Amino acid sequence: MTFGLLVGVIGSLPLVFAALPDPAVRPGSALLVWAVLGVGAYPVLVVIGRWYVVRAERNERDAVQRDEGARR
């Protein structure tokens, strides 16, 4: 699920950038591309990564609890 979310968000960026005007015609669009890649993409990656880590830790905690319950 995390990989699908990552592909959906980050993988769609080339399509978004293709819809922008050509940087040779409008130089400001190149700045927009770099701003999205340099500033906008990293918070999304951090949020997705944090969400994944929280889910993984919860799964580990649940597995330990099940294991301890099976030993009793």
Side-chain angles (χ1 to χ4, degrees):
M1 182 170 174
T2 305
F3 181 70
L5 182 63
L6 182 65
V7 168
V9 172
I10 302 299
S12 65
L13 286 177
L15 296 173
V16 171
F17 295 149
L20 292 175
D22 187 17
V25 176
R26 290 192 62 198
S29 65
L31 180 63
L32 178 65
V33 169
W34 281 107
V36 169
L37 289 176
V39 178
Y42 287 107
V44 173
L45 292 174
V46 168
V47 168
I48 291 172
R50 179 67 183 149
W51 178 63
Y52 179 79
V53 168
V54 167
R55 286 181 56 216
E57 289 174 347
R58 184 179 56 219
N59 289 340
E60 288 181 18
R61 198 171 37 250
D62 292 346
V64 167
Q65 288 175 353
R66 279 193 309 268
D67 186 44
E68 288 176 351
R71 289 183 185 182
R72 293 181 185 175

